[in-house]
Amino acid sequence: MSVPVFEEFEPAPDCGCPGCARHRRDLALGLPVRAGGHPAAHGARRALVLVTAAGAVLGGGGAGGIAAAVAPAAPVTPADAADATEAAQGSDTPQGGRAPLHGPPAAQGDGGPTPGAVPTTSQISTETLRRTTRTEIINRAKLWVAAQVPYSMEKYWSDGYRQDCSGYISMAWNLRSNEWTGSLDRFAVRIDRTELQPGDILLFHNPANPTRGSHVTIFGGWTDYTHTSYIAYEQTKPRTRKQATPLAYWENSNRYVAYRYKGLAGGDTGAGGGQTAPGGTAYPGGARFGPGANNAYVTRLGQMLVARGGKQFYAQGPGPRWGEADRRATQAFQRAQGWKGKEADGLPGPHTWRLLVSGEGRDIGGSSGSGGPSTDAKGFPGRGSFRPGQSNAYVEKLGKQLVKRGFGKHYLSGPGPRWTEADRRNVEAFQRAQGWRGAAADGYPGPETWRRLFR
């Protein structure tokens, strides 16, 4: 028998539910009551279930007669079928609306938007935001991971933040209220995915139905050099978790947008394009450099390279527009560290940038930087010595030094001359102890890892 289909239920025009003025018809059928939907819609859905059940008892004719009495039949579209399948699989991602810390007063809301309401376009002034650092954001995110905070869009944790995905971001960013996926962008600037750094977020907001698919995660760093997956901190069912996640997420991956909190200490908001030197020392991302780049980070890079012996490459400048002089000076600095091939391509990566801003490593002329004597170019045999299948004295030397420094727990025997997963995991532990994350802590030793390990 065919299942009767009903027209959408139209709530009364004087309904006072938040958001009904704009999405009256959508909310009536699209949202459960707990997420801000109209109570009458719940009744309509119950009626549909009862009518369908009655049709099963009375036969096809009875069901059709009851359906006709309630509303004329409408065709079932492929989209309707897809929505039904998705709902049956439980892939919804519910999240609460805006609310003050510890939630709204008893029996009344705070007047903020509910899921389904049109997100405001007004932006939050940077001056009104609480200042924080990337380290503080990640440390706050780790608190909920350690506490295994259960997921809930109605409950609030002891720190005052709602226990859903957007409440988790509100907590990590230390916002003054609980926000939702439709308002978090007001506290941030949009960035390219190539610029992602720990503490940034990946946000997908579904304005047509925020409870279906909308989600947000905290970017914790790349898992490897391919930048195809990252460490995601997120609040999801059944509890807060930290795990490697495909970029940008398991579902709706191409619809997630990268954002950076505007209240980052040091002014590193990722806006770029200015003509004054950036105040922060964090690596701004590879997109800031290379052909066509024109921003203050290029100027700062050139100034640091000149200070490290690269003046010979600049006929004038340095300036904000990327040029061949910037590439050649960067390459000369990279080669001074003993790097070759893609590691010395003339485009600054996180390691190049960190050595420059910290004054570490070797100058272009060959002398060591202000960070003290460097052995980057002395003794490091090259990254090719530390790869699966390699067997040489350098691997064994590395392993013995890791054990000596207290990073040998993954060795069941040895260390020996053949590169193993135990070597990689021990190197990764040492790199993370330096505060490195993502591609900087992939378990494969580079010149800086070697220098710090043997200093």
Side-chain angles (χ1 to χ4, degrees):
M1 88 180 171
S2 60
V3 178
V5 180
F6 296 93
E7 286 186 336
E8 296 180 349
F9 180 86
E10 181 96 35
D14 59 347
C15 172
C17 290
C20 277
R22 179 169 177 85
H23 292 294
R24 191 179 306 275
R25 291 168 64 86
D26 292 340
L27 284 178
L29 289 176
L31 294 176
V33 176
R34 66 185 179 86
H38 197 288
H42 180 64
R45 284 191 293 271
R46 291 185 61 191
L48 174 59
V49 174
L50 293 174
V51 169
T52 305
V57 175
L58 299 176
I66 296 175
V70 178
V76 178
T77 66
D80 294 331
D83 286 346
T85 301
E86 184 177 8
Q89 294 174 343
S91 59
D92 289 358
T93 307
Q95 40 86 43
R98 291 188 64 197
L101 296 185
H102 295 286
Q108 57 180 331
D110 70 323
T114 61
V118 179
T120 177
T121 58
S122 61
Q123 293 294 309
I124 302 298
S125 172
T126 304
E127 289 72 20
T128 64
L129 297 175
R130 292 171 174 167
R131 308 295 288 176
T132 190
T133 65
R134 295 186 182 281
T135 300
E136 290 171 341
I137 291 174
I138 296 300
N139 285 342
R140 289 171 67 86
K142 289 179 178 178
L143 291 176
W144 277 27
V145 174
Q148 293 288 279
V149 177
Y151 180 92
S152 174
M153 59 176 287
E154 293 95 6
K155 296 180 180 180
Y156 294 78
W157 196 238
S158 58
D159 53 16
Y161 291 96
R162 191 179 54 246
Q163 297 168 213
D164 61 7
C165 63
S166 47
Y168 185 46
I169 305 303
S170 302
M171 179 277 298
W173 280 1
N174 199 22
L175 301 183
R176 302 178 189 275
S177 59
N178 282 286
E179 299 299 323
W180 68 303
T181 56
S183 64
L184 282 171
D185 64 315
R186 300 167 60 215
F187 300 83
V189 292
R190 183 169 178 171
I191 60 174
D192 190 86
R193 289 186 184 181
T194 60
E195 303 175 53
L196 281 165
Q197 296 182 54
D200 298 335
I201 65 171
L202 283 157
L203 170 69
F204 167 46
H205 175 65
N206 182 4
N209 188 346
T211 64
R212 187 173 297 278
S214 295
H215 192 47
V216 59
T217 69
I218 298 175
F219 180 84
W222 300 110
T223 58
D224 58 32
Y225 70 96
T226 65
H227 290 190
T228 55
S229 64
Y230 66 100
I231 298 299
Y233 293 86
E234 60 176 326
Q235 180 68 358
T236 186
K237 298 176 181 177
R239 61 185 62 86
T240 320
R241 71 183 181 188
K242 169 191 174 185
Q243 69 171 21
T245 301
L247 185 69
Y249 200 67
W250 306 94
E251 297 179 353
N252 300 302
S253 180
N254 63 333
R255 302 175 71 180
Y256 276 76
V257 179
Y259 286 97
R260 178 165 297 160
Y261 180 53
K262 291 196 296 187
L264 278 179
D268 185 17
T269 64
Q275 297 304 310
T276 58
T281 61
Y283 177 61
R288 300 294 183 187
F289 308 103
N294 186 358
N295 56 72
Y297 291 102
V298 175
T299 303
R300 185 177 183 193
L301 171 72
Q303 292 170 343
M304 291 189 295
L305 288 168
V306 167
R308 301 298 295 273
K311 185 177 181 180
Q312 56 184 306
F313 297 99
Y314 292 93
Q316 59 181 10
R321 186 176 296 279
W322 178 268
E324 180 63 13
D326 298 295
R327 188 196 68 79
R328 293 178 60 197
T330 302
Q331 186 179 53
F333 178 77
Q334 292 168 332
R335 286 177 174 174
Q337 316 311 310
W339 307 344
K340 299 177 181 180
K342 292 183 178 180
E343 297 172 357
D345 59 2
L347 295 174
H351 286 176
T352 301
W353 184 265
R354 182 174 52 77
L355 290 177
L356 286 169
V357 298
S358 66
E360 297 181 348
R362 300 185 67 84
D363 292 345
I364 292 175
S367 60
S368 60
S370 60
S374 171
T375 59
D376 285 348
K378 296 181 180 180
F380 180 63
R383 294 178 185 268
S385 299
F386 309 101
R387 288 292 184 270
Q390 292 296 314
S391 180
N392 54 69
Y394 294 110
V395 174
E396 186 171 9
K397 180 180 180 181
L398 172 79
K400 290 180 178 179
Q401 187 68 7
L402 286 167
V403 172
K404 182 179 179 181
R405 296 291 298 274
F407 294 92
K409 69 176 184 179
H410 295 291
Y411 289 122
L412 298 180
S413 62
R418 183 172 296 279
W419 178 264
T420 66
E421 178 63 12
D423 295 298
R424 192 198 68 77
R425 294 178 67 184
N426 285 330
V427 172
E428 181 183 29
F430 176 78
Q431 290 169 331
R432 289 185 175 276
Q434 313 307 305
W436 304 342
R437 296 294 184 269
D442 59 3
Y444 295 100
E448 183 63 14
T449 300
W450 186 271
R451 184 185 73 82
R452 294 195 179 198
L453 187 60
F454 284 94
R455 69 182 178 185

